């Protein structure tokens, strides 16, 4: 396909950091205004938090949703609900946000990193199975950039061993694996409403579960474990206040009906981008597994450094010249190479709970993570949002084509 030349004047792409790339509008203003006028911003008493969790439960088709202050809080509540003993192992992924990892340590458990598939960046049933021991208490999977993990295979491995799965859907609202929404396969699903997510309240989180006992523990955990509504309430166990205020839940309530349109718009523009980039040398568009739907939090390209000298970094440099931001390597290095894990920096100088870890659980040797290193060496993350028009897509694709062909020489 012949690429149209990029316009001489770079186009400003819509950004998720301001209204150009967000769906916040009059609906949210009206709801937040109503909440303020009501005089009650406390979610335990006000109506907005209750309407938000009921609305999200219906949209996802799950009986229980708990709102909380962030995606990190959602993961923290999920780990706490599983209630590991100190030193228990929780399998997670080497490519994710730190907010999905630190809660494991706060609950006294050991994050055990599974490798990822080099073509998607997602953990697989095989990489998870490779890390299971008799100390494994749970598995946390991240649906990276909105691309569903192979939950059929992962649930088979987990169910065989009776290990609960937590799905981190912070980047994957309404993504589907074989016709079923992510967040409904495992015991618990976790979502983030942070500024750059599909829908936002600036900060915020949602946790989902079909299990009534887990729902009770999740609710308690975000409420200082105070048994609101119980005949003889008490603070039942160690926990925190992770409640959203009614300002946030009212705003999220305005965002919620927009979510299906947001995801659909991202899918349509991603499909168009796939077409536009089809003939670009050394550039592979995001993989979509047959039967799955991708939620396109971002649009991660895979760059072949054997074709494009300098790989993702060289391409990113060229794109910057035409005002296109892109992120080579996403999180820069595998999570286990961050100081917190490398130096075991936790509580004071104690290194706890790493002091309880078995050697294999904290063996971060590069040869145990071939998929992780390959994925990070090749990925170039393009920002994505629901406001991209044909002009934006053409500009993006033609700029990528021009940069790639220039580098190929
Ligand atoms: C996969 C994943 N998990 C967890 C989080 C943490 O969410 P939050 O930033 O809302 O705490 C994020 C946020 O970027 C994320 O992308």
């Amino acid at each position: 396909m012949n690429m149209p030349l990029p316009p001489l004047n770079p186009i400003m792409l819509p950004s998720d950091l301001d209204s150009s790339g967000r769906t916040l509008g009059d609906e949210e203003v009206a709801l937040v205004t109503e909440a303020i006028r009501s005089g009650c911003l406390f979610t335990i008493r006000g109506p907005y938090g209750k309407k938000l969790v009921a609305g999200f439960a219906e949209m996802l088709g799950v009986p229980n949703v708990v709102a909380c202050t962030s995606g990190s809080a959602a993961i923290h509540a999920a780990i706490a609900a599983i209630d590991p003993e100190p030193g228990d192992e929780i399998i997670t992924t080497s490519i994710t946000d730190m907010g999905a990892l630190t809660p494991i340590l706060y609950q006294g458990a050991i994050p055990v990193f599974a490798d990822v598939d080099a073509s998607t960046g997602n953990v697989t049933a095989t990489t998870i199975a490779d890390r299971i021991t008799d100390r494994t208490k749970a598995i946390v999977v991240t649906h990276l950039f909105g691309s569903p993990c192979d939950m059929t295979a992962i649930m088979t491995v987990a169910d065989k061993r009776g290990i609960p799965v937590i799905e981190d859907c912070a980047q994957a609202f309404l993504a589907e694996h074989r016709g079923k929404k992510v967040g409904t396969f495992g015991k618990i699903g976790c979502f983030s409403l942070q500024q750059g997510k599909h829908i936002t309240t600036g900060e915020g989180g949602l946790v989902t579960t079909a299990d009534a006992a887990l729902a009770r523990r999740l609710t308690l955990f975000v409420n200082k474990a105070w048994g609101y509504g119980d005949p003889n309430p008490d603070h039942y166990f160690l926990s925190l206040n992770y409640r959203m205020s009614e300002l946030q839940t009212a705003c999220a309530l305005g965002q919620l009906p927009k979510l299906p349109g947001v995801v659909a718009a991202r899918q349509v523009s991603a499909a168009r981008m796939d077409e536009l980039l089809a003939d670009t040398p050394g550039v592979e568009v995001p993989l979509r597994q047959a039967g799955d739907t991708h939620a396109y939090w971002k649009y991660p390209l895979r760059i072949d450094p054997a074709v494009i000298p300098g790989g993702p970094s060289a391409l990113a440099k060229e794109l910057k010249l035409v005002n296109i931001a892109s992120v080579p390597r996403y999180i820069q290095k595998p999570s286990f190479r961050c100081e917190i894990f490398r130096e075991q920096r936790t509580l004071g100088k104690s290194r706890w709970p790493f002091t309880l870890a078995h050697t294999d659980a904290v063996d971060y040797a590069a040869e145990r993570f071939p998929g992780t290193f390959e994925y990070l060496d090749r990925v170039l993350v393009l920002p994505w949002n629901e406001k991209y028009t044909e002009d934006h897509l053409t500009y993006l694709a033609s700029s990528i084509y021009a940069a790639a062909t220039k580098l190929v020489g």
Side-chain angles (χ1 to χ4, degrees):
M1 182 185 300
N2 282 333
M3 277 293 131
L5 286 175
L8 284 178
N9 294 322
I11 290 182
M12 285 294 285
L13 295 170
S15 162
D16 61 19
L17 286 174
D18 59 44
S19 57
S20 66
R22 302 284 62 194
T23 55
L24 294 163
D26 292 344
E27 302 78 7
E28 291 78 3
V29 170
L31 284 159
V32 172
T33 305
E34 252 178 44
I36 292 172
R37 293 232 160 92
S38 78
C40 174
L41 299 181
F42 179 45
T43 40
I44 297 289
R45 294 284 170 258
Y48 300 97
K50 294 176 185 75
K51 287 184 188 170
L52 171 66
V53 297
F56 193 57
E58 192 183 345
M59 191 175 283
L60 221 66
V62 288
N64 308 290
V65 175
V66 176
C68 58
T69 49
S70 66
S72 309
I75 297 278
H76 197 172
I79 304 289
I82 298 289
D83 203 17
E85 293 298 324
D88 278 353
E89 295 175 0
I90 298 194
I91 295 175
T92 181
T93 166
S94 52
I95 303 183
T96 191
D97 185 88
M98 193 51 70
L101 301 173
T102 45
I104 299 173
L105 292 167
Y106 274 107
Q107 288 310 113
I110 311 295
V112 175
F113 294 99
D115 197 16
V116 302
D117 180 313
S119 56
T120 62
N122 279 337
V123 288
T124 69
T126 311
T127 64
I128 289 169
D130 199 46
R131 297 291 192 263
I132 292 177
T133 70
D134 55 9
R135 297 176 295 279
T136 305
K137 182 75 177 183
I139 297 163
V140 187
V141 304
T142 293
H143 302 292
L144 195 66
F145 300 128
S147 160
C149 294
D150 183 351
M151 292 312 295
T152 307
I154 289 172
M155 291 312 299
T156 304
V157 165
D159 287 346
K160 208 164 106 193
R161 307 287 290 257
I163 303 170
V165 173
I166 296 166
E167 289 179 82
D168 184 349
C169 312
Q171 306 179 357
F173 278 94
L174 307 188
E176 290 182 0
H177 168 66
R178 300 193 187 171
K180 188 167 145 70
K181 290 189 180 63
V182 300
T184 64
F185 289 88
K187 283 276 182 206
I188 302 177
C190 300
F191 296 79
S192 165
L193 298 169
Q194 180 264 340
Q195 175 70 32
K197 298 304 191 300
H198 291 78
I199 54 170
T200 185
T201 65
E203 305 286 354
L206 295 164
V207 197
T208 63
T209 185
D211 181 307
L214 285 175
R216 161 92 174 152
R217 276 194 69 85
L218 291 165
T219 305
L220 285 169
F221 187 74
V222 303
N223 280 296
K224 295 177 269 187
W226 179 252
Y228 284 101
D230 289 357
N232 295 301
D234 198 346
H235 294 285
Y236 301 123
F237 55 82
L238 179 67
S239 73
L240 294 154
N241 175 359
Y242 275 151
R243 283 192 295 269
M244 274 206 259
S245 83
E246 289 281 89
L247 285 177
Q248 290 163 299
T249 54
C251 177
L253 194 57
Q255 287 274 278
L256 195 58
K258 301 178 184 179
L259 180 56
V262 163
V263 174
R266 287 169 181 246
Q267 289 166 340
V268 167
S269 42
R272 175 71 179 133
M273 189 69 167
D274 291 354
E275 262 172 33
L276 289 170
L277 288 176
D279 296 332
T280 308
V283 171
E284 226 178 80
V285 301
L287 199 71
R288 250 178 307 155
Q289 304 292 347
D292 287 3
T293 60
H294 197 306
Y296 294 102
W297 177 55
K298 305 281 179 195
Y299 186 88
L301 296 172
R302 286 211 325 144
I303 309 303
D304 185 350
V307 177
I308 298 185
S313 305
L315 196 56
K317 232 186 227 167
E318 290 296 324
L319 292 176
K320 204 168 168 206
L321 298 175
V322 289
N323 225 13
I324 295 172
S326 61
V327 185
R329 304 188 67 79
Y330 175 43
I331 52 166
Q332 309 309 309
K333 55 190 173 192
S335 303
F336 52 77
R337 288 268 169 101
C338 292
E339 276 187 41
I340 176 176
F341 296 105
R342 233 181 41 227
E343 308 293 334
Q344 304 189 336
R345 294 229 173 87
T346 54
L347 307 176
K349 294 190 174 56
S350 70
R351 294 176 34 244
W352 190 90
F354 287 113
T355 43
L356 309 172
H358 288 244
T359 325
D360 271 3
V362 290
D363 179 355
Y364 307 142
E367 56 269 24
R368 301 182 82 207
F369 299 94
T372 302
F373 286 95
E374 185 183 332
Y375 186 79
L376 292 179
D377 285 347
R378 287 177 174 235
V379 71
L380 181 66
V381 183
L382 292 184
W384 210 244
N385 64 64
E386 50 281 5
K387 299 282 188 73
Y388 281 22
T389 62
E390 179 69 15
D391 279 353
H392 298 129
L393 296 170
T394 310
Y395 177 60
L396 253 179
S398 56
S399 302
I400 293 167
Y401 185 84
T405 46
K406 178 180 162 191
L407 290 167
V408 168

